[in-house]
Tab-separated table of all heavy atoms in Angstrom:
chain	number	residue	atom	x	y	z
A	19	ASN	N	25.852	-17.914	-5.524
A	19	ASN	CA	26.072	-19.341	-5.346
A	19	ASN	C	24.994	-20.109	-6.093
A	19	ASN	O	23.903	-19.593	-6.311
A	19	ASN	CB	25.989	-19.736	-3.864
A	19	ASN	CG	27.093	-19.123	-3.043
A	19	ASN	OD1	28.264	-19.297	-3.353
A	19	ASN	ND2	26.735	-18.395	-1.997
A	20	ASP	N	25.274	-21.368	-6.434
A	20	ASP	CA	24.239	-22.229	-6.968
A	20	ASP	C	23.146	-22.379	-5.910
A	20	ASP	O	23.430	-22.362	-4.706
A	20	ASP	CB	24.809	-23.614	-7.295
A	20	ASP	CG	25.768	-23.602	-8.481
A	20	ASP	OD1	25.779	-22.614	-9.235
A	20	ASP	OD2	26.504	-24.592	-8.639
A	21	ILE	N	21.889	-22.512	-6.367
A	21	ILE	CA	20.755	-22.632	-5.445
A	21	ILE	C	19.926	-23.841	-5.843
A	21	ILE	O	19.493	-23.940	-6.997
A	21	ILE	CB	19.866	-21.368	-5.491
A	21	ILE	CG1	20.664	-20.131	-5.087
A	21	ILE	CG2	18.638	-21.548	-4.594
A	21	ILE	CD1	19.936	-18.825	-5.325
A	22	ASP	N	19.686	-24.756	-4.897
A	22	ASP	CA	18.812	-25.901	-5.126
A	22	ASP	C	17.472	-25.587	-4.467
A	22	ASP	O	17.396	-25.456	-3.251
A	22	ASP	CB	19.418	-27.170	-4.534
A	22	ASP	CG	18.630	-28.425	-4.875
A	22	ASP	OD1	17.478	-28.308	-5.362
A	22	ASP	OD2	19.160	-29.524	-4.645
A	23	MET	N	16.423	-25.465	-5.290
A	23	MET	CA	15.096	-25.082	-4.793
A	23	MET	C	14.231	-26.296	-4.430
A	23	MET	O	13.044	-26.138	-4.145
A	23	MET	CB	14.375	-24.247	-5.850
A	23	MET	CG	15.066	-22.951	-6.214
A	23	MET	SD	15.010	-21.724	-4.916
A	23	MET	CE	13.290	-21.290	-4.966
A	24	ALA	N	14.787	-27.507	-4.449
A	24	ALA	CA	14.014	-28.705	-4.108
A	24	ALA	C	13.416	-28.550	-2.713
A	24	ALA	O	14.107	-28.180	-1.757
A	24	ALA	CB	14.901	-29.952	-4.170
A	25	GLY	N	12.119	-28.775	-2.601
A	25	GLY	CA	11.430	-28.690	-1.322
A	25	GLY	C	11.072	-27.284	-0.871
A	25	GLY	O	10.505	-27.099	0.199
A	26	VAL	N	11.387	-26.281	-1.676
A	26	VAL	CA	11.092	-24.891	-1.318
A	26	VAL	C	9.754	-24.497	-1.929
A	26	VAL	O	9.513	-24.716	-3.110
A	26	VAL	CB	12.193	-23.938	-1.826
A	26	VAL	CG1	11.813	-22.485	-1.583
A	26	VAL	CG2	13.525	-24.273	-1.182
A	27	THR	N	8.866	-23.925	-1.120
A	27	THR	CA	7.604	-23.411	-1.645
A	27	THR	C	7.884	-22.047	-2.264
A	27	THR	O	8.290	-21.112	-1.576
A	27	THR	CB	6.553	-23.269	-0.526
A	27	THR	OG1	6.347	-24.547	0.059
A	27	THR	CG2	5.246	-22.723	-1.070
A	28	TYR	N	7.693	-21.948	-3.563
A	28	TYR	CA	7.955	-20.709	-4.277
A	28	TYR	C	6.665	-20.280	-4.943
A	28	TYR	O	6.028	-21.066	-5.637
A	28	TYR	CB	9.056	-20.918	-5.319
A	28	TYR	CG	9.639	-19.633	-5.856
A	28	TYR	CD1	10.602	-18.942	-5.131
A	28	TYR	CD2	9.227	-19.110	-7.067
A	28	TYR	CE1	11.144	-17.766	-5.608
A	28	TYR	CE2	9.760	-17.935	-7.568
A	28	TYR	CZ	10.721	-17.267	-6.827
A	28	TYR	OH	11.242	-16.088	-7.302
A	29	TYR	N	6.274	-19.045	-4.735
A	29	TYR	CA	4.980	-18.557	-5.182
A	29	TYR	C	5.006	-18.057	-6.614
A	29	TYR	O	5.974	-17.464	-7.045
A	29	TYR	CB	4.508	-17.417	-4.286
A	29	TYR	CG	4.355	-17.819	-2.857
A	29	TYR	CD1	5.298	-17.458	-1.907
A	29	TYR	CD2	3.272	-18.580	-2.448
A	29	TYR	CE1	5.164	-17.847	-0.597
A	29	TYR	CE2	3.139	-18.971	-1.137
A	29	TYR	CZ	4.090	-18.603	-0.213
A	29	TYR	OH	3.957	-19.005	1.079
A	30	GLY	N	3.933	-18.287	-7.312
A	30	GLY	CA	3.720	-17.649	-8.602
A	30	GLY	C	3.148	-16.267	-8.325
A	30	GLY	O	3.348	-15.701	-7.260
A	31	GLY	N	2.421	-15.740	-9.254
A	31	GLY	CA	1.852	-14.423	-9.059
A	31	GLY	C	0.546	-14.308	-9.801
A	31	GLY	O	0.042	-15.261	-10.368
A	32	SER	N	0.014	-13.127	-9.791
A	32	SER	CA	-1.207	-12.844	-10.514
A	32	SER	C	-1.071	-11.470	-11.133
A	32	SER	O	-0.537	-10.554	-10.508
A	32	SER	CB	-2.408	-12.860	-9.576
A	32	SER	OG	-3.576	-12.473	-10.270
A	33	ILE	N	-1.531	-11.333	-12.380
A	33	ILE	CA	-1.452	-10.010	-12.997
A	33	ILE	C	-2.398	-9.035	-12.314
A	33	ILE	O	-2.290	-7.836	-12.513
A	33	ILE	CB	-1.692	-10.059	-14.516
A	33	ILE	CG1	-3.107	-10.496	-14.845
A	33	ILE	CG2	-0.673	-10.944	-15.195
A	33	ILE	CD1	-3.477	-10.291	-16.299
A	34	ASN	N	-3.275	-9.523	-11.445
A	34	ASN	CA	-4.123	-8.619	-10.664
A	34	ASN	C	-3.290	-7.755	-9.729
A	34	ASN	O	-3.731	-6.703	-9.286
A	34	ASN	CB	-5.148	-9.411	-9.859
A	34	ASN	CG	-6.228	-10.005	-10.736
A	34	ASN	OD1	-6.506	-9.500	-11.812
A	34	ASN	ND2	-6.814	-11.093	-10.285
A	35	SER	N	-2.067	-8.197	-9.423
A	35	SER	CA	-1.193	-7.416	-8.549
A	35	SER	C	-0.453	-6.319	-9.306
A	35	SER	O	0.198	-5.485	-8.703
A	35	SER	CB	-0.175	-8.339	-7.861
A	35	SER	OG	0.697	-8.896	-8.824
A	36	TYR	N	-0.561	-6.311	-10.644
A	36	TYR	CA	0.138	-5.307	-11.438
A	36	TYR	C	-0.448	-3.921	-11.191
A	36	TYR	O	-1.654	-3.782	-11.153
A	36	TYR	CB	0.055	-5.621	-12.935
A	36	TYR	CG	0.684	-4.520	-13.736
A	36	TYR	CD1	2.046	-4.484	-13.897
A	36	TYR	CD2	-0.083	-3.474	-14.232
A	36	TYR	CE1	2.638	-3.440	-14.572
A	36	TYR	CE2	0.506	-2.429	-14.898
A	36	TYR	CZ	1.860	-2.426	-15.062
A	36	TYR	OH	2.458	-1.378	-15.706
A	37	PRO	N	0.354	-2.882	-11.067
A	37	PRO	CA	1.815	-2.917	-11.037
A	37	PRO	C	2.379	-2.974	-9.623
A	37	PRO	O	3.570	-2.868	-9.427
A	37	PRO	CB	2.195	-1.608	-11.708
A	37	PRO	CG	1.128	-0.660	-11.255
A	37	PRO	CD	-0.138	-1.508	-11.168
A	38	SER	N	1.549	-3.119	-8.631
A	38	SER	CA	1.974	-3.015	-7.243
A	38	SER	C	3.141	-3.909	-6.863
A	38	SER	O	4.096	-3.458	-6.234
A	38	SER	CB	0.798	-3.318	-6.316
A	38	SER	OG	-0.258	-2.440	-6.567
A	39	TYR	N	3.074	-5.185	-7.200
A	39	TYR	CA	4.082	-6.121	-6.720
A	39	TYR	C	4.904	-6.751	-7.835
A	39	TYR	O	5.407	-7.840	-7.701
A	39	TYR	CB	3.421	-7.213	-5.877
A	39	TYR	CG	2.669	-6.666	-4.702
A	39	TYR	CD1	1.396	-7.106	-4.409
A	39	TYR	CD2	3.221	-5.679	-3.901
A	39	TYR	CE1	0.693	-6.587	-3.333
A	39	TYR	CE2	2.535	-5.151	-2.831
A	39	TYR	CZ	1.271	-5.609	-2.551
A	39	TYR	OH	0.583	-5.091	-1.495
A	40	CYS	N	5.038	-6.075	-8.941
A	40	CYS	CA	5.842	-6.592	-10.042
A	40	CYS	C	7.309	-6.245	-9.826
A	40	CYS	O	7.640	-5.213	-9.251
A	40	CYS	CB	5.388	-5.970	-11.356
A	40	CYS	SG	3.709	-6.420	-11.782
Side-chain angles (χ1 to χ4, degrees):
N19 295 305
D20 291 344
I21 300 170
D22 186 347
M23 299 290 289
V26 174
T27 301
Y28 195 81
Y29 300 103
S32 175
I33 65 168
N34 288 335
S35 66
Y36 175 82
S38 302
Y39 302 134
C40 296

